[in-house]
Amino acid sequence: MKKKLVLVVAVILIAVTACAMLVGCVPNRPDRFVGTWLKSEHKGVVVEIPWIGKMVEAEVGIDGGKMSLKITDTINFIIEEKSSKVNVYTGVYDGLITKQWVWTASTVEKTEADKNNNKQTIDSILNDNEDVKQLVADLQEAFSENFTEKDGWWTANADTKDVVGYKVDGNELLTRVGEVQSPLKLILNYKITIPAEAKDALK
């Protein structure tokens, strides 16, 4: 009996330790999710940004030494750091004729990549977007006192129909205003895969 108890405790400790070490463990409360997201090197965010005269949905992410920017389903920009050099991949979806992605790629110095407009957009959304900063600020201040949980949604304690709410759903932190879900969301365990066609364009 004693051996069984020791074995059970050992298994639990191994599971807890593994969870703490792995990127894959996602906090199930919005404020804790944000705390993990801020420190993560594998994260993403979906937000609306101005693009060619209109507001569009953009997805930005980092995955270790890779960064990406996706504009709707038509543009996919990926940066892959390789020591002092950087591989830059740009994919544009041809929705009219070929119905395929067309990729271009090049290797440049890191200083040159930092000047790229798409790279600057990635940095801006991750570090300086007002919607993201407001979300983080909301969830870092006395969360338990300011929010109430119901059906998985944590809703601000406010007397207005346009009250904000947050919900952890898998690897994503969803947001809503009133009963309407908004495009803004945070993502943990973000993965960036470079398509074979993009790698071929670099050769």
Side-chain angles (χ1 to χ4, degrees):
M1 182 67 182
K2 188 175 180 180
K3 288 183 178 179
K4 286 184 179 180
L5 181 59
V6 171
L7 181 59
V8 169
V9 171
V11 169
I12 292 174
L13 286 174
I14 291 171
V16 170
T17 304
C19 187
M21 295 177 63
L22 290 173
V23 177
C25 291
V26 177
N28 60 4
R29 212 171 80 164
D31 58 329
R32 294 168 185 161
F33 186 104
V34 163
T36 301
W37 186 87
L38 286 170
K39 296 179 287 187
S40 177
E41 294 184 357
H42 306 272
K43 64 184 178 183
V45 58
V46 176
V47 66
E48 286 190 326
I49 64 170
W51 188 267
I52 316 178
K54 62 180 181 180
M55 297 300 291
V56 299
E57 196 170 290
E59 180 175 313
V60 162
I62 58 174
D63 181 14
K66 299 192 286 287
M67 309 176 75
S68 72
L69 167 65
K70 298 177 184 177
I71 303 294
T72 61
D73 294 321
T74 58
I75 296 174
N76 190 357
F77 176 79
I78 302 172
I79 288 179
E80 180 186 32
E81 292 188 2
K82 293 287 186 180
S83 188
S84 62
K85 301 283 187 178
V86 174
N87 294 333
V88 179
Y89 307 90
T90 303
V92 178
Y93 184 72
D94 179 4
L96 296 176
I97 302 174
T98 65
K99 307 290 184 183
Q100 294 180 342
W101 285 88
V102 178
W103 287 92
T104 57
S106 61
T107 300
V108 300
E109 296 290 336
K110 188 177 185 301
T111 52
E112 184 179 343
D114 287 339
K115 299 175 184 176
N116 185 285
N117 288 337
N118 291 330
K119 168 67 162 55
Q120 292 175 357
T121 297
I122 294 172
D123 290 335
S124 175
I125 291 175
L126 283 174
N127 304 315
D128 203 38
N129 181 271
E130 289 301 324
D131 291 335
V132 175
K133 288 198 292 186
Q134 186 61 56
L135 184 158
V136 170
D138 285 347
L139 296 180
Q140 286 190 314
E141 183 179 347
F143 180 80
S144 297
E145 299 172 16
N146 294 333
F147 288 83
T148 301
E149 189 271 338
K150 183 180 179 182
D151 298 330
W153 283 95
W154 289 81
T155 305
N157 300 326
D159 246 350
T160 171
K161 67 177 183 179
D162 293 330
V163 66
V164 295
Y166 304 100
K167 178 181 181 180
V168 176
D169 185 15
N171 289 329
E172 298 180 345
L173 176 65
L174 310 179
T175 65
R176 73 179 182 186
V177 178
E179 295 299 320
V180 180
Q181 192 166 320
S182 67
L184 176 63
K185 65 181 175 182
L186 303 185
I187 306 168
L188 276 174
N189 299 329
Y190 197 84
K191 298 296 181 186
I192 298 174
T193 301
I194 301 173
E197 296 84 355
K199 292 181 179 180
D200 288 343
L202 191 63
K203 296 176 181 178

